[in-house]
Amino acid sequence: MNQVDNVFEGFAPAPAGFVCRSCGSSQLGVFLDLGLMPPSDALRRADQLALPEKKYPLRTALCRDCALVQITETVPPEELFSKDYVYYSSFSDALLAHSKANVENLIATRKLTSDSLVIELASNDGYLLQYYKNQGIPVQGIDPAEAQARTANERGIPTICDFFSHALGTRLRQEGRLADVVHGNNVLAHVADTNGFVAGIAQILKDTGVAVLEFPYLRDLVDKCEFDTIYHEHLCYFSVTALVPLFARHGLHLQDVKHVDIHGGSLRVYLGKQATASASVQAFLQAEKAAGLDQASYFAGFAERVVGVKHKLVTMLREFSKQGKRLAAYGAAAKGTIMLNYMGLGPDLIEFVVDRNVHKHGRYMPGVHIPIKPVETLLTEKPDYTLILPWNFKEEIYAQQAEYRARGGRFIVPIPTPELL
């Protein structure tokens, strides 16, 4: 920004040449800078530990013109979601239950049959589409991760291994493959061409169809200090206020909005080609305006609160270490990469990270190089305290690890403020 604007007083300017991913405005201000970070899912192999590791700036900015919050660096998607990508949705029981309930509701309310078609964007290993398939409803998955797409196809869930785009949406439309329901869970925030992605949804959606998208809610992120939800895969952080003009630009309308608890607080939005909005849409817009989600003042002080979480957690862990206590972490999640790197927590303090995902075992956390081991290691190594990195699944993890707790192990949850369970 070339001029001083009191809307962004106290904010740093966005990098030269960067424009809003939604509206194209150059009027952006940075309110949080987490420094240089490795891609959060770029787990290291043992033979890579001595090699240079790519790191990129991680700065978060607000657009004055459309209120979209976004990071200012775009890491090539091929680097983030390569054949070495190891996230499998099916390893989370809570996510599976969440997805099944969503599917069952849509089958009933949309009266889906064997003549319907459901398309999921970023379908991973078929974790959600399996529930449609089991009811005899035709499905089509789309996901760029080779191993996950292959797993889905092997399970009988047809999956195109590609990035979804306007071009792919146009091709499917030309083939007559139009969807009654389009799912997109935690993917809209991941795409660099935000407008192209939404335009693609408009291509594949029937005139009477509905697209159901989920993503972490900006208001939860700020109010609960969920800074570790910010990473390079997540290019945008949405409010309803920012979504309305984005969708309208492509002939789509918000029809309903729900707040769901998963991932620390998310929005589930329903959009279609008919301008038939429920009362929930206006209610969210009014609540966001009252809270100031379109104003810089709402984000002022966020960086200071993030520093406060860091100070409290690092102090707690170092005190335990001084007492001779052994420390571990649970969950080699993307947010865990951000937490560990921002806090400066390495293997000198955190001995190991455990994870249920067998594809992560034997790898190391990006940046800090803490080894990743099976969950059973909590029982064989018996650390005194275990930091839950995917704190959004803390209830699931806490329940699963009853034996560890019975043997005296304690869990630490870092967000919204560090506390012992």
Side-chain angles (χ1 to χ4, degrees), residues 119-153:
I119 298 177
E120 184 179 11
L121 317 177
S123 51
N124 202 266
D125 57 4
Y127 74 104
L128 180 144
L129 291 179
Q130 65 177 324
Y131 299 115
Y132 285 110
K133 178 179 178 291
N134 293 344
Q135 296 299 316
I137 297 168
V139 299
Q140 176 65 63
I142 302 172
D143 197 284
E146 293 180 16
Q148 287 79 350
R150 182 170 58 252
T151 297
N153 280 306

Short mmCIF file of all heavy atoms in Angstrom, two decimals, residues 119-153:
data_model
loop_
_atom_site.label_atom_id
_atom_site.label_comp_id
_atom_site.label_asym_id
_atom_site.label_seq_id
_atom_site.Cartn_x
_atom_site.Cartn_y
_atom_site.Cartn_z
N ILE A 119 -20.55 -35.78 -6.50
CA ILE A 119 -19.14 -35.55 -6.81
C ILE A 119 -18.48 -34.92 -5.60
O ILE A 119 -19.01 -33.98 -5.00
CB ILE A 119 -18.98 -34.61 -8.02
CG1 ILE A 119 -19.59 -35.24 -9.28
CG2 ILE A 119 -17.51 -34.28 -8.27
CD1 ILE A 119 -19.54 -34.34 -10.51
N GLU A 120 -17.32 -35.46 -5.21
CA GLU A 120 -16.56 -34.84 -4.13
C GLU A 120 -15.23 -34.33 -4.65
O GLU A 120 -14.49 -35.04 -5.34
CB GLU A 120 -16.30 -35.80 -2.96
CG GLU A 120 -15.61 -35.08 -1.82
CD GLU A 120 -15.33 -35.93 -0.60
OE1 GLU A 120 -15.48 -37.16 -0.67
OE2 GLU A 120 -14.92 -35.35 0.43
N LEU A 121 -14.93 -33.08 -4.31
CA LEU A 121 -13.68 -32.44 -4.67
C LEU A 121 -12.71 -32.62 -3.51
O LEU A 121 -13.06 -32.35 -2.36
CB LEU A 121 -13.92 -30.95 -4.95
CG LEU A 121 -15.17 -30.64 -5.79
CD1 LEU A 121 -15.37 -29.14 -5.93
CD2 LEU A 121 -15.10 -31.33 -7.14
N ALA A 122 -11.51 -33.08 -3.80
CA ALA A 122 -10.54 -33.44 -2.76
C ALA A 122 -11.10 -34.58 -1.92
O ALA A 122 -11.23 -34.49 -0.71
CB ALA A 122 -10.17 -32.25 -1.89
N SER A 123 -11.40 -35.67 -2.60
CA SER A 123 -12.09 -36.81 -1.98
C SER A 123 -11.17 -37.73 -1.20
O SER A 123 -11.64 -38.71 -0.60
CB SER A 123 -12.83 -37.60 -3.06
OG SER A 123 -11.96 -37.92 -4.14
N ASN A 124 -9.86 -37.48 -1.24
CA ASN A 124 -8.88 -38.25 -0.48
C ASN A 124 -9.04 -39.74 -0.78
O ASN A 124 -9.07 -40.14 -1.93
CB ASN A 124 -8.98 -37.94 1.01
CG ASN A 124 -7.72 -38.27 1.79
OD1 ASN A 124 -7.59 -39.35 2.35
ND2 ASN A 124 -6.77 -37.34 1.81
N ASP A 125 -9.17 -40.57 0.24
CA ASP A 125 -9.21 -42.02 0.02
C ASP A 125 -10.63 -42.57 -0.07
O ASP A 125 -10.85 -43.78 0.08
CB ASP A 125 -8.43 -42.75 1.14
CG ASP A 125 -8.97 -42.43 2.53
OD1 ASP A 125 -9.99 -41.69 2.63
OD2 ASP A 125 -8.38 -42.89 3.52
N GLY A 126 -11.60 -41.69 -0.32
CA GLY A 126 -12.99 -42.13 -0.43
C GLY A 126 -13.70 -42.22 0.89
O GLY A 126 -14.78 -42.82 0.99
N TYR A 127 -13.15 -41.59 1.92
CA TYR A 127 -13.68 -41.68 3.28
C TYR A 127 -15.15 -41.26 3.37
O TYR A 127 -15.92 -41.82 4.15
CB TYR A 127 -12.84 -40.80 4.22
CG TYR A 127 -13.10 -39.32 4.03
CD1 TYR A 127 -13.86 -38.61 4.93
CD2 TYR A 127 -12.62 -38.65 2.90
CE1 TYR A 127 -14.14 -37.26 4.72
CE2 TYR A 127 -12.88 -37.32 2.69
CZ TYR A 127 -13.65 -36.63 3.61
OH TYR A 127 -13.93 -35.31 3.39
N LEU A 128 -15.57 -40.24 2.58
CA LEU A 128 -16.95 -39.76 2.61
C LEU A 128 -17.81 -40.45 1.57
O LEU A 128 -18.94 -40.88 1.86
CB LEU A 128 -16.98 -38.24 2.41
CG LEU A 128 -18.36 -37.57 2.42
CD1 LEU A 128 -18.29 -36.19 3.08
CD2 LEU A 128 -18.93 -37.42 1.01
N LEU A 129 -17.31 -40.57 0.35
CA LEU A 129 -18.11 -41.13 -0.73
C LEU A 129 -18.50 -42.58 -0.49
O LEU A 129 -19.49 -43.06 -1.05
CB LEU A 129 -17.34 -41.00 -2.06
CG LEU A 129 -17.18 -39.57 -2.59
CD1 LEU A 129 -16.39 -39.59 -3.90
CD2 LEU A 129 -18.52 -38.89 -2.80
N GLN A 130 -17.76 -43.28 0.36
CA GLN A 130 -18.11 -44.67 0.65
C GLN A 130 -19.52 -44.79 1.22
O GLN A 130 -20.22 -45.79 0.97
CB GLN A 130 -17.12 -45.27 1.64
CG GLN A 130 -17.12 -44.63 3.02
CD GLN A 130 -16.17 -45.31 3.99
OE1 GLN A 130 -16.00 -46.53 3.96
NE2 GLN A 130 -15.53 -44.51 4.84
N TYR A 131 -19.98 -43.78 1.94
CA TYR A 131 -21.30 -43.85 2.56
C TYR A 131 -22.41 -43.68 1.52
O TYR A 131 -23.51 -44.22 1.69
CB TYR A 131 -21.42 -42.81 3.67
CG TYR A 131 -20.41 -43.04 4.77
CD1 TYR A 131 -19.39 -42.12 5.03
CD2 TYR A 131 -20.44 -44.21 5.54
CE1 TYR A 131 -18.46 -42.34 6.03
CE2 TYR A 131 -19.50 -44.44 6.53
CZ TYR A 131 -18.51 -43.50 6.77
OH TYR A 131 -17.58 -43.73 7.76
N TYR A 132 -22.15 -42.95 0.45
CA TYR A 132 -23.09 -42.90 -0.67
C TYR A 132 -23.06 -44.22 -1.44
O TYR A 132 -24.10 -44.78 -1.78
CB TYR A 132 -22.73 -41.76 -1.62
CG TYR A 132 -23.07 -40.38 -1.12
CD1 TYR A 132 -22.06 -39.50 -0.74
CD2 TYR A 132 -24.40 -39.94 -1.05
CE1 TYR A 132 -22.36 -38.21 -0.31
CE2 TYR A 132 -24.70 -38.66 -0.61
CZ TYR A 132 -23.68 -37.80 -0.23
OH TYR A 132 -23.99 -36.53 0.21
N LYS A 133 -21.86 -44.69 -1.75
CA LYS A 133 -21.71 -45.92 -2.50
C LYS A 133 -22.43 -47.08 -1.82
O LYS A 133 -23.08 -47.91 -2.47
CB LYS A 133 -20.22 -46.26 -2.67
CG LYS A 133 -19.93 -47.56 -3.41
CD LYS A 133 -18.43 -47.77 -3.55
CE LYS A 133 -18.14 -49.09 -4.25
NZ LYS A 133 -18.51 -50.27 -3.40
N ASN A 134 -22.32 -47.14 -0.50
CA ASN A 134 -22.97 -48.22 0.25
C ASN A 134 -24.49 -48.18 0.14
O ASN A 134 -25.16 -49.19 0.37
CB ASN A 134 -22.56 -48.16 1.74
CG ASN A 134 -21.10 -48.46 1.95
OD1 ASN A 134 -20.43 -49.01 1.07
ND2 ASN A 134 -20.56 -48.09 3.11
N GLN A 135 -25.04 -47.01 -0.22
CA GLN A 135 -26.49 -46.86 -0.40
C GLN A 135 -26.89 -46.93 -1.87
O GLN A 135 -28.04 -46.63 -2.23
CB GLN A 135 -26.95 -45.53 0.20
CG GLN A 135 -26.75 -45.41 1.70
CD GLN A 135 -27.54 -46.46 2.47
OE1 GLN A 135 -28.70 -46.71 2.17
NE2 GLN A 135 -26.90 -47.08 3.45
N GLY A 136 -25.95 -47.32 -2.73
CA GLY A 136 -26.25 -47.49 -4.14
C GLY A 136 -26.35 -46.20 -4.94
O GLY A 136 -26.95 -46.18 -6.02
N ILE A 137 -25.78 -45.13 -4.44
CA ILE A 137 -25.83 -43.83 -5.11
C ILE A 137 -24.51 -43.61 -5.87
O ILE A 137 -23.43 -43.69 -5.27
CB ILE A 137 -26.07 -42.70 -4.09
CG1 ILE A 137 -27.44 -42.89 -3.43
CG2 ILE A 137 -25.99 -41.33 -4.77
CD1 ILE A 137 -27.67 -42.02 -2.23
N PRO A 138 -24.57 -43.36 -7.16
CA PRO A 138 -23.35 -43.17 -7.96
C PRO A 138 -22.50 -42.00 -7.44
O PRO A 138 -23.03 -40.96 -7.05
CB PRO A 138 -23.88 -42.87 -9.36
CG PRO A 138 -25.24 -43.49 -9.39
CD PRO A 138 -25.78 -43.31 -8.00
N VAL A 139 -21.18 -42.19 -7.47
CA VAL A 139 -20.27 -41.18 -6.95
C VAL A 139 -19.11 -40.98 -7.91
O VAL A 139 -18.80 -41.84 -8.73
CB VAL A 139 -19.72 -41.57 -5.56
CG1 VAL A 139 -20.84 -41.70 -4.54
CG2 VAL A 139 -18.91 -42.87 -5.64
N GLN A 140 -18.47 -39.83 -7.77
CA GLN A 140 -17.24 -39.53 -8.50
C GLN A 140 -16.33 -38.73 -7.60
O GLN A 140 -16.69 -37.65 -7.13
CB GLN A 140 -17.53 -38.73 -9.77
CG GLN A 140 -16.27 -38.32 -10.54
CD GLN A 140 -15.51 -39.50 -11.09
OE1 GLN A 140 -16.02 -40.24 -11.92
NE2 GLN A 140 -14.28 -39.72 -10.61
N GLY A 141 -15.15 -39.27 -7.32
CA GLY A 141 -14.16 -38.56 -6.53
C GLY A 141 -13.16 -37.85 -7.43
O GLY A 141 -12.92 -38.27 -8.57
N ILE A 142 -12.58 -36.76 -6.92
CA ILE A 142 -11.52 -36.04 -7.61
C ILE A 142 -10.48 -35.66 -6.56
O ILE A 142 -10.81 -35.00 -5.57
CB ILE A 142 -12.04 -34.75 -8.29
CG1 ILE A 142 -13.15 -35.10 -9.30
CG2 ILE A 142 -10.90 -33.99 -8.97
CD1 ILE A 142 -13.85 -33.87 -9.86
N ASP A 143 -9.24 -36.11 -6.74
CA ASP A 143 -8.18 -35.80 -5.78
C ASP A 143 -6.83 -35.89 -6.47
O ASP A 143 -6.58 -36.82 -7.23
CB ASP A 143 -8.23 -36.76 -4.59
CG ASP A 143 -7.46 -36.23 -3.40
OD1 ASP A 143 -6.22 -36.27 -3.41
OD2 ASP A 143 -8.11 -35.75 -2.45
N PRO A 144 -5.94 -34.92 -6.19
CA PRO A 144 -4.63 -34.92 -6.87
C PRO A 144 -3.58 -35.83 -6.25
O PRO A 144 -2.53 -36.06 -6.87
CB PRO A 144 -4.20 -33.45 -6.75
CG PRO A 144 -4.81 -33.01 -5.45
CD PRO A 144 -6.13 -33.70 -5.38
N ALA A 145 -3.82 -36.32 -5.03
CA ALA A 145 -2.83 -37.15 -4.35
C ALA A 145 -2.88 -38.58 -4.90
O ALA A 145 -3.91 -39.25 -4.78
CB ALA A 145 -3.07 -37.13 -2.85
N GLU A 146 -1.79 -39.03 -5.48
CA GLU A 146 -1.79 -40.30 -6.21
C GLU A 146 -2.14 -41.50 -5.33
O GLU A 146 -2.97 -42.33 -5.71
CB GLU A 146 -0.43 -40.51 -6.87
CG GLU A 146 -0.11 -39.52 -7.98
CD GLU A 146 1.24 -39.77 -8.62
OE1 GLU A 146 1.80 -40.87 -8.41
OE2 GLU A 146 1.75 -38.88 -9.31
N ALA A 147 -1.51 -41.60 -4.18
CA ALA A 147 -1.73 -42.78 -3.33
C ALA A 147 -3.17 -42.82 -2.82
O ALA A 147 -3.80 -43.88 -2.78
CB ALA A 147 -0.75 -42.77 -2.17
N GLN A 148 -3.69 -41.67 -2.42
CA GLN A 148 -5.05 -41.62 -1.90
C GLN A 148 -6.08 -41.93 -2.99
O GLN A 148 -7.05 -42.66 -2.76
CB GLN A 148 -5.32 -40.25 -1.28
CG GLN A 148 -4.62 -40.01 0.04
CD GLN A 148 -3.15 -39.63 -0.10
OE1 GLN A 148 -2.57 -39.72 -1.17
NE2 GLN A 148 -2.55 -39.20 0.99
N ALA A 149 -5.86 -41.38 -4.19
CA ALA A 149 -6.76 -41.67 -5.31
C ALA A 149 -6.72 -43.15 -5.67
O ALA A 149 -7.76 -43.77 -5.96
CB ALA A 149 -6.39 -40.81 -6.51
N ARG A 150 -5.53 -43.72 -5.65
CA ARG A 150 -5.40 -45.15 -5.95
C ARG A 150 -6.13 -45.99 -4.90
O ARG A 150 -6.84 -46.95 -5.24
CB ARG A 150 -3.92 -45.53 -6.01
CG ARG A 150 -3.68 -47.00 -6.35
CD ARG A 150 -2.23 -47.27 -6.64
NE ARG A 150 -1.36 -46.92 -5.52
CZ ARG A 150 -0.53 -45.88 -5.50
NH1 ARG A 150 -0.47 -45.07 -6.55
NH2 ARG A 150 0.23 -45.63 -4.46
N THR A 151 -5.99 -45.63 -3.63
CA THR A 151 -6.68 -46.35 -2.56
C THR A 151 -8.20 -46.30 -2.77
O THR A 151 -8.90 -47.31 -2.62
CB THR A 151 -6.32 -45.75 -1.19
OG1 THR A 151 -4.92 -45.93 -0.97
CG2 THR A 151 -7.10 -46.43 -0.07
N ALA A 152 -8.71 -45.12 -3.13
CA ALA A 152 -10.15 -44.96 -3.35
C ALA A 152 -10.62 -45.84 -4.50
O ALA A 152 -11.64 -46.53 -4.40
CB ALA A 152 -10.48 -43.50 -3.61
N ASN A 153 -9.88 -45.81 -5.60
CA ASN A 153 -10.26 -46.63 -6.75
C ASN A 153 -10.25 -48.12 -6.41
O ASN A 153 -11.13 -48.87 -6.85
CB ASN A 153 -9.33 -46.35 -7.94
CG ASN A 153 -9.70 -45.08 -8.68
OD1 ASN A 153 -10.84 -44.92 -9.10
ND2 ASN A 153 -8.75 -44.17 -8.85
#
